[in-house]
Amino acid sequence: WQRLEPEARLFQLVQSLEELGRLTQSIPRRLDNLLLLAEKGNLKVNLEIPEIRRQIQHISIITNRMTAGLILVGMLVGSAIAMGVSPHDTWSVIPVLGIIGFCVSIIVGGLLVWSTFWDNWRTSRRKDNDKS
C-alpha cells in the first residue's frame, strides 16, 4: 500500500526525472568520445556470439562436403564421357580409365554419404546426451 500512495509515486517520479536529467547531460560527452574513437580508428566492439566456434566448424564441414560432391560429379561425368569413347577411334585405354574413374567415383560417393549419415547420427547422440 505504501508504494501506491501518491507521495511514494511522486517520489519515484522525481527520482526518475533526476536520473533522466543526468543521462541527458552525459549523452553528448559520451557520443563525442565515441565519434572521436571511430574517427581515429580505435573503436573496438566486443561481440560475443554463443557457440561461434562450433557454428564455424559446421560451416567448414558443409563446405568440404559440397566441394567433395562437386569433384565427385566432375569425376562421374568425365568417366561417363570416357566410357562412351569407342576403343577403335582412339587409344583403347581411355574407356578402361573411364570405368576405373566411374568405380572410384562410386566408392568415394558412398564414403561421402556414409560419413554424412555417421556425423548426423553422432551429433544427434551428443545432443541427446547433453539434454540428459
Side-chain angles (χ1 to χ4, degrees):
W1 287 109
Q2 290 177 351
R3 284 189 300 159
L4 296 177
E5 289 180 11
E7 293 171 354
R9 300 291 293 171
L10 183 63
F11 180 72
Q12 288 175 347
L13 180 64
V14 169
Q15 281 184 330
S16 296
L17 288 174
E18 287 175 353
E19 189 175 327
L20 182 62
R22 284 191 302 272
L23 183 63
T24 55
Q25 287 177 352
S26 68
I27 284 178
R29 185 179 63 252
R30 289 181 179 184
L31 189 58
D32 188 45
N33 290 339
L34 183 68
L35 291 174
L36 283 174
L37 285 174
E39 282 179 2
K40 293 179 181 178
N42 295 332
L43 182 64
K44 294 181 182 179
V45 178
N46 187 13
L47 179 65
E48 291 185 27
I49 301 174
E51 301 181 6
I52 188 74
R53 293 188 192 279
R54 203 163 104 203
Q55 298 298 325
I56 291 173
Q57 185 179 19
H58 286 309
I59 290 171
S60 176
I61 290 169
I62 290 169
T63 304
N64 289 339
R65 287 190 181 147
M66 287 178 60
T67 303
L70 286 172
I71 292 170
L72 181 66
V73 166
M75 287 175 61
L76 283 171
V77 170
S79 297
I81 291 171
M83 285 172 41
V85 172
S86 173
H88 302 297
D89 295 340
T90 183
W91 300 327
S92 59
V93 76
I94 291 180
V96 173
L97 289 175
I99 292 171
I100 292 171
F102 191 77
C103 292
V104 169
S105 299
I106 294 298
I107 292 169
V108 170
L111 290 173
L112 184 63
V113 169
W114 179 80
S115 76
T116 301
F117 283 123
W118 176 259
D119 284 344
N120 287 341
W121 178 75
R122 194 175 54 179
T123 302
S124 68
R125 279 191 51 146
R126 189 179 307 135
K127 285 182 182 177
D128 290 343
N129 289 339
D130 288 346
K131 289 180 183 178
S132 300

